[in-house]
Amino acid sequence: MTIRVLLADDQDLLRRGFKMIIDAQPDMETVGEAADGAQAIAQAAALRPDVVLMDVRMPGTDGIEATRHIAAHLPEVKVLILTTFDVDEYAFTGLRAGASGFLLKNVRTEELLTGIRTVAGGDAVLAPSTTRRLLDTYARTFHAPEAGLPPKDVLDPLTQRERQVFTEMASGRTNQEIADRLVLSETTVKTHVARILAKLRLRDRVQAVIFAYENGLSAPGR
């Protein structure tokens, strides 16, 4: 199936560059463009793309608010946030607003395409090293409970094995890394991840990490 992508960025040159890359792929096509958040919301509603490649800083309605609206009203449309290293806090805010991941604007072409395919497939773009640094830096900003306190039974729906997998997910590890650490097959890990997300009513792995921080199940440096 062809992955339908909406580009939301106030820089025309960047949109053109992304469009050329995306349209050159046999499994992707650009279905629309938006120069601000309001246009992104309208285009997402009208076109129902699989993925919105969303800039953060745009005039008027910014990418964060647009992401929040799309996640709330168009849950089948996935948002992939674009940001720069200098404003990582926007990436974290975007993830909390409902984005399925984030990429830096200086991302390599292969990483951009992999990110789009990953998000379109229902998973999240969660680069462990970048995500851990990002959350370690900004987790306290959102007043998460202190790690080590009782988790208020938020993990009660999970089995013991699912709790182990959740702990690894909260550390930003990939399915393969989790499989290696717990001596499981990657397929088994994928099954556990799907069950965990369903039981905790989480959208994807990114939301699982944020859930862990907000409930005091993980903290900077852990």
Side-chain angles (χ1 to χ4, degrees), residues 128-160:
S129 59
T130 303
T131 301
R132 288 171 193 153
R133 182 170 61 249
L134 174 68
L135 295 180
D136 286 351
T137 302
Y138 294 104
R140 295 188 183 89
T141 303
F142 298 94
H143 309 292
E146 182 182 349
L149 293 178
K152 299 180 181 179
D153 302 323
V154 293
L155 297 184
D156 270 2
L158 306 185
T159 66
Q160 185 60 37

Short mmCIF file of all heavy atoms in Angstrom, two decimals, residues 128-160:
data_model
loop_
_atom_site.label_atom_id
_atom_site.label_comp_id
_atom_site.label_asym_id
_atom_site.label_seq_id
_atom_site.Cartn_x
_atom_site.Cartn_y
_atom_site.Cartn_z
N PRO A 128 16.48 5.60 20.83
CA PRO A 128 16.79 5.50 22.26
C PRO A 128 17.71 6.59 22.79
O PRO A 128 17.38 7.25 23.78
CB PRO A 128 17.44 4.12 22.38
CG PRO A 128 16.84 3.35 21.27
CD PRO A 128 16.69 4.33 20.14
N SER A 129 18.85 6.84 22.15
CA SER A 129 19.81 7.79 22.72
C SER A 129 19.25 9.20 22.76
O SER A 129 19.33 9.89 23.78
CB SER A 129 21.11 7.77 21.91
OG SER A 129 20.86 8.11 20.56
N THR A 130 18.65 9.65 21.66
CA THR A 130 18.10 11.00 21.61
C THR A 130 16.92 11.14 22.54
O THR A 130 16.78 12.13 23.26
CB THR A 130 17.65 11.33 20.17
OG1 THR A 130 18.76 11.17 19.29
CG2 THR A 130 17.15 12.76 20.08
N THR A 131 16.05 10.13 22.58
CA THR A 131 14.86 10.20 23.42
C THR A 131 15.22 10.23 24.89
O THR A 131 14.65 10.99 25.67
CB THR A 131 13.94 9.01 23.13
OG1 THR A 131 13.59 9.04 21.74
CG2 THR A 131 12.67 9.10 23.96
N ARG A 132 16.17 9.38 25.29
CA ARG A 132 16.56 9.38 26.71
C ARG A 132 17.12 10.73 27.12
O ARG A 132 16.79 11.26 28.18
CB ARG A 132 17.61 8.29 26.94
CG ARG A 132 17.05 6.87 26.86
CD ARG A 132 18.17 5.85 26.89
NE ARG A 132 17.67 4.53 26.52
CZ ARG A 132 18.41 3.58 25.97
NH1 ARG A 132 19.69 3.81 25.72
NH2 ARG A 132 17.90 2.42 25.66
N ARG A 133 17.96 11.32 26.26
CA ARG A 133 18.53 12.63 26.60
C ARG A 133 17.44 13.69 26.67
O ARG A 133 17.42 14.54 27.55
CB ARG A 133 19.58 13.01 25.57
CG ARG A 133 20.26 14.35 25.87
CD ARG A 133 21.45 14.58 24.96
NE ARG A 133 21.06 14.62 23.56
CZ ARG A 133 21.38 13.69 22.67
NH1 ARG A 133 22.07 12.62 23.05
NH2 ARG A 133 21.02 13.80 21.42
N LEU A 134 16.52 13.63 25.72
CA LEU A 134 15.42 14.58 25.68
C LEU A 134 14.56 14.49 26.93
O LEU A 134 14.29 15.49 27.59
CB LEU A 134 14.56 14.30 24.44
CG LEU A 134 13.27 15.11 24.27
CD1 LEU A 134 13.60 16.56 24.00
CD2 LEU A 134 12.45 14.53 23.13
N LEU A 135 14.13 13.27 27.28
CA LEU A 135 13.26 13.11 28.44
C LEU A 135 14.00 13.38 29.74
O LEU A 135 13.44 13.95 30.68
CB LEU A 135 12.67 11.70 28.45
CG LEU A 135 11.73 11.40 27.28
CD1 LEU A 135 11.20 9.97 27.39
CD2 LEU A 135 10.58 12.37 27.23
N ASP A 136 15.27 13.01 29.82
CA ASP A 136 16.04 13.29 31.02
C ASP A 136 16.14 14.79 31.26
O ASP A 136 16.12 15.27 32.39
CB ASP A 136 17.45 12.70 30.90
CG ASP A 136 17.45 11.19 31.06
OD1 ASP A 136 16.39 10.63 31.43
OD2 ASP A 136 18.50 10.58 30.83
N THR A 137 16.23 15.56 30.17
CA THR A 137 16.39 17.01 30.29
C THR A 137 15.09 17.70 30.68
O THR A 137 15.06 18.61 31.50
CB THR A 137 16.88 17.60 28.96
OG1 THR A 137 18.13 16.97 28.62
CG2 THR A 137 17.09 19.11 29.08
N TYR A 138 13.97 17.22 30.13
CA TYR A 138 12.73 17.95 30.28
C TYR A 138 11.64 17.27 31.11
O TYR A 138 10.58 17.83 31.32
CB TYR A 138 12.16 18.30 28.90
CG TYR A 138 13.06 19.25 28.16
CD1 TYR A 138 13.88 18.81 27.13
CD2 TYR A 138 13.12 20.58 28.53
CE1 TYR A 138 14.73 19.67 26.47
CE2 TYR A 138 13.97 21.45 27.87
CZ TYR A 138 14.77 20.99 26.85
OH TYR A 138 15.62 21.85 26.20
N ALA A 139 11.90 16.08 31.60
CA ALA A 139 10.87 15.38 32.37
C ALA A 139 10.43 16.19 33.58
O ALA A 139 9.25 16.26 33.91
CB ALA A 139 11.37 14.02 32.83
N ARG A 140 11.38 16.82 34.28
CA ARG A 140 11.04 17.58 35.49
C ARG A 140 10.15 18.79 35.18
O ARG A 140 9.42 19.25 36.03
CB ARG A 140 12.31 18.04 36.20
CG ARG A 140 13.16 16.92 36.75
CD ARG A 140 14.31 17.48 37.60
NE ARG A 140 15.18 16.44 38.08
CZ ARG A 140 16.25 15.99 37.43
NH1 ARG A 140 16.56 16.51 36.26
NH2 ARG A 140 17.00 15.05 37.94
N THR A 141 10.24 19.30 33.95
CA THR A 141 9.45 20.45 33.57
C THR A 141 7.96 20.18 33.72
O THR A 141 7.17 21.06 34.02
CB THR A 141 9.74 20.83 32.10
OG1 THR A 141 11.14 21.08 31.96
CG2 THR A 141 8.96 22.08 31.68
N PHE A 142 7.58 18.91 33.56
CA PHE A 142 6.17 18.56 33.57
C PHE A 142 5.73 17.97 34.91
O PHE A 142 4.69 17.36 35.01
CB PHE A 142 5.87 17.60 32.42
CG PHE A 142 6.16 18.24 31.09
CD1 PHE A 142 7.39 18.07 30.48
CD2 PHE A 142 5.22 19.05 30.49
CE1 PHE A 142 7.66 18.69 29.27
CE2 PHE A 142 5.48 19.66 29.27
CZ PHE A 142 6.72 19.48 28.67
N HIS A 143 6.59 18.15 35.93
CA HIS A 143 6.21 17.81 37.30
C HIS A 143 5.78 16.36 37.46
O HIS A 143 4.77 16.06 38.10
CB HIS A 143 5.11 18.73 37.80
CG HIS A 143 5.41 20.18 37.61
ND1 HIS A 143 6.41 20.83 38.30
CD2 HIS A 143 4.89 21.09 36.76
CE1 HIS A 143 6.47 22.10 37.91
NE2 HIS A 143 5.56 22.28 36.97
N ALA A 144 6.53 15.47 36.84
CA ALA A 144 6.24 14.04 37.02
C ALA A 144 6.49 13.66 38.46
O ALA A 144 7.35 14.21 39.13
CB ALA A 144 7.13 13.20 36.11
N PRO A 145 5.75 12.69 39.00
CA PRO A 145 5.97 12.24 40.37
C PRO A 145 7.38 11.72 40.54
O PRO A 145 7.99 11.23 39.59
CB PRO A 145 4.94 11.12 40.54
CG PRO A 145 3.93 11.35 39.48
CD PRO A 145 4.67 11.95 38.34
N GLU A 146 7.89 11.80 41.73
CA GLU A 146 9.24 11.32 41.98
C GLU A 146 9.30 9.80 41.82
O GLU A 146 8.48 9.06 42.36
CB GLU A 146 9.65 11.68 43.41
CG GLU A 146 11.08 11.26 43.74
CD GLU A 146 11.44 11.59 45.18
OE1 GLU A 146 10.66 12.31 45.82
OE2 GLU A 146 12.49 11.14 45.63
N ALA A 147 10.28 9.36 41.02
CA ALA A 147 10.44 7.92 40.81
C ALA A 147 10.74 7.25 42.14
O ALA A 147 11.41 7.80 43.00
CB ALA A 147 11.56 7.66 39.82
N GLY A 148 10.26 6.04 42.30
CA GLY A 148 10.51 5.31 43.54
C GLY A 148 9.29 5.29 44.43
O GLY A 148 9.19 4.46 45.32
N LEU A 149 8.35 6.22 44.19
CA LEU A 149 7.12 6.21 44.97
C LEU A 149 6.20 5.11 44.45
O LEU A 149 6.33 4.66 43.32
CB LEU A 149 6.41 7.57 44.84
CG LEU A 149 7.15 8.76 45.47
CD1 LEU A 149 6.35 10.03 45.22
CD2 LEU A 149 7.35 8.56 46.96
N PRO A 150 5.25 4.63 45.25
CA PRO A 150 4.32 3.60 44.78
C PRO A 150 3.62 4.03 43.50
O PRO A 150 3.15 5.16 43.40
CB PRO A 150 3.31 3.50 45.94
CG PRO A 150 4.09 3.95 47.13
CD PRO A 150 5.00 5.04 46.64
N PRO A 151 3.56 3.17 42.48
CA PRO A 151 2.98 3.55 41.19
C PRO A 151 1.47 3.59 41.16
O PRO A 151 0.88 3.66 40.10
CB PRO A 151 3.50 2.45 40.25
CG PRO A 151 3.69 1.27 41.14
CD PRO A 151 4.14 1.83 42.48
N LYS A 152 0.84 3.57 42.32
CA LYS A 152 -0.62 3.70 42.43
C LYS A 152 -1.35 2.65 41.59
O LYS A 152 -2.41 2.92 41.01
CB LYS A 152 -1.05 5.12 42.02
CG LYS A 152 -0.45 6.20 42.89
CD LYS A 152 -0.89 7.58 42.46
CE LYS A 152 -0.27 8.66 43.34
NZ LYS A 152 -0.67 10.03 42.91
N ASP A 153 -0.77 1.46 41.52
CA ASP A 153 -1.41 0.33 40.85
C ASP A 153 -1.66 0.55 39.37
O ASP A 153 -2.50 -0.13 38.78
CB ASP A 153 -2.73 -0.02 41.54
CG ASP A 153 -2.55 -0.36 43.01
OD1 ASP A 153 -1.52 -0.99 43.35
OD2 ASP A 153 -3.42 0.00 43.79
N VAL A 154 -0.97 1.50 38.73
CA VAL A 154 -1.23 1.76 37.32
C VAL A 154 -0.82 0.60 36.44
O VAL A 154 -1.30 0.47 35.31
CB VAL A 154 -0.51 3.05 36.85
CG1 VAL A 154 -1.09 4.27 37.53
CG2 VAL A 154 1.00 2.95 37.10
N LEU A 155 0.05 -0.27 36.96
CA LEU A 155 0.48 -1.42 36.17
C LEU A 155 -0.25 -2.71 36.55
O LEU A 155 0.11 -3.79 36.09
CB LEU A 155 2.00 -1.63 36.32
CG LEU A 155 2.89 -0.51 35.81
CD1 LEU A 155 4.36 -0.90 35.94
CD2 LEU A 155 2.55 -0.15 34.37
N ASP A 156 -1.28 -2.60 37.36
CA ASP A 156 -2.04 -3.78 37.78
C ASP A 156 -2.57 -4.61 36.61
O ASP A 156 -2.63 -5.85 36.71
CB ASP A 156 -3.21 -3.36 38.68
CG ASP A 156 -2.81 -3.35 40.15
OD1 ASP A 156 -1.63 -3.64 40.43
OD2 ASP A 156 -3.66 -3.05 41.00
N PRO A 157 -2.98 -3.99 35.50
CA PRO A 157 -3.50 -4.81 34.40
C PRO A 157 -2.46 -5.71 33.74
O PRO A 157 -2.83 -6.62 32.99
CB PRO A 157 -4.02 -3.76 33.39
CG PRO A 157 -4.23 -2.53 34.20
CD PRO A 157 -3.16 -2.55 35.24
N LEU A 158 -1.18 -5.47 34.02
CA LEU A 158 -0.12 -6.19 33.32
C LEU A 158 0.32 -7.44 34.08
O LEU A 158 0.32 -7.48 35.30
CB LEU A 158 1.10 -5.29 33.13
CG LEU A 158 0.88 -3.95 32.43
CD1 LEU A 158 2.22 -3.25 32.23
CD2 LEU A 158 0.14 -4.11 31.10
N THR A 159 0.71 -8.45 33.31
CA THR A 159 1.31 -9.63 33.91
C THR A 159 2.75 -9.31 34.31
O THR A 159 3.29 -8.24 33.96
CB THR A 159 1.34 -10.80 32.91
OG1 THR A 159 2.22 -10.45 31.82
CG2 THR A 159 -0.06 -11.08 32.37
N GLN A 160 3.39 -10.22 35.03
CA GLN A 160 4.76 -9.99 35.45
C GLN A 160 5.69 -9.82 34.25
O GLN A 160 6.55 -8.94 34.23
CB GLN A 160 5.25 -11.16 36.31
CG GLN A 160 6.64 -10.95 36.90
CD GLN A 160 6.71 -9.73 37.80
OE1 GLN A 160 5.78 -9.42 38.53
NE2 GLN A 160 7.82 -9.00 37.73
#
